[in-house]
Every structure is written in C-alpha cells, then in structure tokens.
Amino acid sequence: MESAALSRVSALRIADQVLHELRQPLPRSVPQERRRAVSLSTHWLNLVLEELDYGVLLVSGSGQLLYTNHAARRTLDARFPLQVQGGQLRTRLDTDNGPLFEALGKAETEGRRCLLRLGEGSERTNVVVVPLNRNVEQAAVLLVLERLQLCADLAAQWFALRYGLTPTETEVLKLLSEGARPNKVAEEQGVAISTVRTQIQSIRAKSGAQSIGELLRQLAVLPPLMSALRMELA
C-alpha cells in the first residue's frame, strides 16, 4: 500500500534524525536556550516514534538494543521471531540467528539495506534492516517490523466512530479486515449470510466505499498511529 510505504519511509527518516541529534554533542559555547531547543526537538522526535503503529528498534551492529518504540515493545512477545534478552537482540529460532547478524553486520559496516523473513509457519514476519551511518561517529541499525494486522482494532474503532457504525457493524468490519469472507463472518456472528450482506451494504453506504475491496483499502491506508487513537476512544 502506497500510504503505508510512505509512513514507513517517514519513520525511517525520523529515526535517522533522532540518531543524528543524539550522537552530536553540543559545544560548551552553545547558549543554554539552544541546548534546551535541541533537547526538546529530540524529545518530540521520540514522541513521534512512540505514536507509530510500526514497531521500530534501534540496535548496534552486534545486536545491542538502543531503543524500541511502543509498537515494538507490544510486538516482541514470546512467540515473535525476534527476542530481547538482557538488552541484547536475538532470534527465537537458531536458524534465524545467522541471517539476522549477517544483515546487522553488513548494515553497520557496508551500509546495506535488506528485507529479512524470520520465523516459521503462521508466525513468519518481515523485518526491514536499514543502516544509519550517515554523519555520525558510531553507526547503528534501524529495524522496522511489519504491522501485525492490516488494520488494528483501534483503527477499526476509530473508523467506526468516524462513520457512525453500529457495534455490530464494527465487529463485521473487524472480521473483514482480518481477511474473513462474508460467509465466515456470518458463521462467527451466528447470523444468516443475508444479514451480513445487509450490514456490509450499510457500512459501504456510510463510508462511501463502492465495494468491499475499496472499504478494506480505506482501512489499510489509515495513518498508522497508536496513542492518538487510544485517546480518541477514551
């Protein structure tokens, strides 16, 4: 999705700027007001990363964890292909360990980007590896995790609030966003398929979507934000 790709690029640029500012000590001669401004700017950039619904990790070439945002901390559970133990990044599967650290090493020393596919079965996930080695004394590596869902529950609820969907229509919307077909939605809801079709028609009418595909696209391109949605729904 183009919007999701642009959001990911923006996250990479922001993280790169955060790292650059953190690595550049201010001379003692810089006025105190300027020091406060730089500190505040870095704080703002950190808050921006916390808002994103893409997991972001900043690590050294050896896998030492330097930073994680909220989405990454939420994602890195015991089943996720990437793990953090004692501040050190590792993989859950031994077979993924070599490719991960080869990618980190090449990112740090050669500036190479790559896309890793880690895990197995239904728990496989994509991880984008991005070198952050421009204009800094010490290089680092940015890892961007794929979103766990096409549309997170909070985003679906935000969408539902925006278009005045009923609680039942909201549940139908969530199931559709998870890839369920109308007959599966009917089975999950314990209703007739005709009822689900009527609910989908109502959702489309309220949101202006001409088809289920367009409806799902509207969900997919929602801004990937987190805490703002939580506050909206509070």
Side-chain angles (χ1 to χ4, degrees):
M1 297 292 180
E2 291 184 4
S3 179
L6 290 174
S7 297
R8 181 175 299 176
V9 170
S10 298
L12 302 185
R13 290 175 178 169
I14 291 167
D16 200 358
Q17 186 174 351
V18 169
L19 179 67
H20 176 72
E21 294 201 15
L22 290 175
R23 300 290 188 189
Q24 300 298 315
L26 291 176
R28 293 180 180 276
S29 59
V30 174
Q32 187 175 5
E33 292 79 7
R34 172 58 178 160
R35 288 177 175 273
R36 283 199 296 264
V38 170
S39 176
L40 184 58
S41 176
T42 301
H43 177 67
W44 280 337
L45 290 170
N46 181 71
L47 291 178
V48 168
L49 290 175
E50 289 294 303
E51 294 287 335
L52 295 178
D53 195 24
Y54 285 104
V56 172
L57 296 88
L58 193 63
V59 300
S60 69
S62 61
Q64 180 183 0
L65 185 64
L66 305 175
Y67 170 81
T68 58
N69 69 346
H70 177 83
R73 294 190 296 272
R74 181 175 59 104
T75 302
L76 296 175
D77 59 21
R79 299 184 308 275
F80 197 74
L82 285 177
Q83 307 281 301
V84 176
Q85 293 185 355
Q88 181 70 26
L89 190 67
R90 61 181 298 274
T91 59
R92 189 171 62 83
L93 298 178
D94 291 339
T95 52
D96 286 336
N97 203 53
L100 172 65
F101 283 94
E102 180 181 5
L104 293 181
K106 288 184 177 180
E108 182 183 49
T109 60
E110 302 175 21
R112 289 194 183 183
R113 298 171 179 242
C114 75
L115 175 65
L116 287 177
R117 184 72 168 162
L118 303 176
E120 60 183 359
S122 61
E123 295 176 355
R124 297 193 74 187
T125 188
N126 293 308
V127 178
V128 179
V129 180
V130 182
L132 300 180
N133 56 359
R134 298 191 304 274
N135 303 319
V136 292
E137 294 181 2
Q138 179 182 350
V141 183
L142 179 69
L143 303 181
V144 182
L145 312 180
E146 70 177 24
R147 295 176 73 179
L148 297 179
Q149 298 172 291
L150 174 66
C151 176
D153 284 349
L154 283 173
Q157 292 179 44
W158 196 26
F159 186 90
L161 285 174
R162 168 64 179 81
Y163 292 108
L165 304 187
T166 67
T168 301
E169 289 170 347
T170 302
E171 290 305 312
V172 170
L173 179 68
K174 289 179 183 178
L175 289 170
L176 291 174
S177 73
E178 293 169 2
R181 301 183 69 83
N183 59 340
K184 181 64 175 178
V185 174
E187 181 182 331
E188 290 281 339
Q189 298 291 89
V191 298
I193 183 66
S194 58
T195 301
V196 171
R197 291 196 178 112
T198 299
Q199 292 165 338
I200 292 174
Q201 185 177 4
S202 175
I203 296 170
R204 287 173 46 201
K206 291 177 179 179
S207 63
Q210 298 300 309
S211 64
I212 293 179
E214 183 180 339
L215 176 64
L216 295 179
R217 183 183 179 279
Q218 288 186 29
L219 288 172
V221 299
L222 284 174
L225 302 179
M226 297 191 62
S227 64
L229 296 175
R230 293 195 296 272
M231 288 186 287
E232 181 79 17
L233 294 166

